[in-house]
Amino acid sequence: MNTQTAPSPQFYLTAPAVCPYLPHEMERKVFTHMVGERAPELNDLLTQGGFRRSQNIAYRPACESCRACISVRILAGEFKPTRSMRRILSANRDVVSTEYPAEPSSEQYSLFRRYLDHRHQQGGMSDMSVLDYAMMVEDTHVNTKIIEYRLRVEGQGITGDDRKGPLIAAALTDKMGDGLSMVYSYFDPAQQDRSLGTYMILDHIRKANERGLPHVYLGYWVKGSRKMDYKTKFLPQEHLMARGWERYTGEPDAAESE
């Protein structure tokens, strides 16, 4: 009988690069490949250990002088929306979310391109081509879905099952044993008043609760980066610290929690 175990993943370290979030800081990452039959199991373990997935690569910060990046996961079963979040849910009652296999479309890329051009013109993803986008979506060896958010049209049910209305947002999401991990999301910048970024997180919390999954993983909160502050508004949540996952004690504004 063959008792040889599968090889353990090999980890590598990137060279220092300019940090995209904090001025005067340099970033390094440790990463490994996730391929083959063990990829879903490995994705669960690494995500629970603070890694993020990009295509078939799992990575986490390994910066020499900075510990600002903190992994965040929402405790879905305990979550209670704030008053402003309830307004966002109400404002998007005409939005239908539908899950599909992780397959790209030209419609998705068109929306993705508008999002990048409006919000991330100088970012590392700003020059992504349609082929780059296709790889981002479909190069996965884990249980990944693309969730499309469309405006409901007349005659379409609350949980629509087809692509009828206009596409206004999308999220690439991994389903894990203990939760949903939001890999990447984007939305129509012309729909800014809908707060679609927040709405997609709220919808993932709903989906996690419906499936009995305790967590929604949001990736990294970068302490000191204002554009990452939104991640700490979804309470209660846990942060991955030196001793493991710890409950975050921050509180929303009193007016927000009413």
Side-chain angles (χ1 to χ4, degrees):
M1 180 175 66
N2 184 3
T3 60
Q4 183 177 0
T5 59
S8 299
Q10 300 297 306
F11 291 88
Y12 307 91
L13 189 64
T14 65
V18 175
C19 176
Y21 299 107
L22 299 177
H24 314 302
E25 293 288 351
M26 301 294 289
E27 70 166 1
R28 300 190 78 177
K29 296 175 182 176
V30 61
F31 69 95
T32 189
H33 296 272
M34 293 191 300
V35 295
E37 295 180 355
R38 295 186 60 200
E41 174 189 359
L42 185 59
N43 187 48
D44 278 25
L45 291 172
L46 291 177
T47 301
Q48 292 160 5
F51 281 73
R52 292 289 286 166
R53 185 183 70 81
S54 177
Q55 297 176 227
N56 62 11
I57 299 291
Y59 67 90
R60 68 169 295 172
C63 306
E64 296 175 359
S65 61
C66 179
R67 297 293 182 269
C69 292
I70 298 174
S71 294
V72 173
R73 66 185 186 187
I74 302 167
L75 297 173
E78 300 180 49
F79 172 77
K80 296 293 187 295
T82 64
R83 185 168 60 182
S84 65
M85 291 175 184
R86 293 195 296 270
R87 286 197 295 265
I88 291 169
L89 288 169
S90 179
N92 289 284
R93 286 176 296 179
D94 58 342
V95 174
V96 179
S97 71
T98 311
E99 295 183 19
Y100 297 98
E103 298 173 355
S105 71
S106 58
E107 187 182 21
Q108 291 169 15
Y109 178 72
S110 177
L111 176 62
F112 174 72
R113 189 70 261 166
R114 295 199 306 275
Y115 173 78
L116 290 183
D117 291 345
H118 186 267
R119 297 180 60 101
H120 299 286
Q121 294 180 0
Q122 306 301 322
M125 303 173 72
S126 60
D127 60 350
M128 284 182 64
S129 68
V130 64
L131 293 179
D132 294 327
Y133 174 78
M135 290 294 291
M136 182 180 80
V137 173
E138 65 188 6
D139 190 5
T140 174
H141 289 249
V142 302
N143 186 1
T144 304
K145 302 293 184 182
I146 187 81
I147 304 175
E148 294 187 348
Y149 294 83
R150 296 175 178 272
L151 294 180
R152 188 165 59 247
V153 297
E154 186 176 356
Q156 187 176 16
I158 298 296
T159 59
D161 57 358
D162 53 17
R163 291 178 162 101
K164 285 185 177 180
L167 180 68
I168 61 171
L172 190 65
T173 301
D174 290 345
K175 182 179 180 182
M176 307 181 346
D178 72 330
L180 301 176
S181 177
M182 297 184 70
V183 177
Y184 194 81
S185 61
Y186 55 93
F187 54 85
D188 185 351
Q191 300 282 346
Q192 185 173 348
D193 291 345
R194 288 179 174 270
S195 299
L196 288 168
T198 295
Y199 176 72
M200 283 189 280
I201 295 175
L202 295 172
D203 187 60
H204 277 69
I205 295 171
R206 177 186 64 81
K207 291 178 184 295
N209 281 321
E210 288 179 349
R211 298 168 190 187
L213 299 172
H215 304 122
V216 174
Y217 289 83
L218 294 184
Y220 301 117
W221 167 51
V222 184
K223 190 173 183 179
S225 174
R226 291 185 60 186
K227 64 182 179 181
M228 288 292 185
D229 283 347
Y230 73 92
K231 294 188 178 184
T232 61
K233 296 182 183 296
F234 299 86
L235 299 174
Q237 61 184 227
E238 292 180 327
H239 292 181
L240 185 58
M241 310 303 288
R243 294 177 295 180
W245 289 99
E246 297 182 3
R247 193 179 184 93
Y248 178 60
T249 58
E251 295 293 340
D253 295 339
E256 282 290 302
S257 60
E258 294 176 1

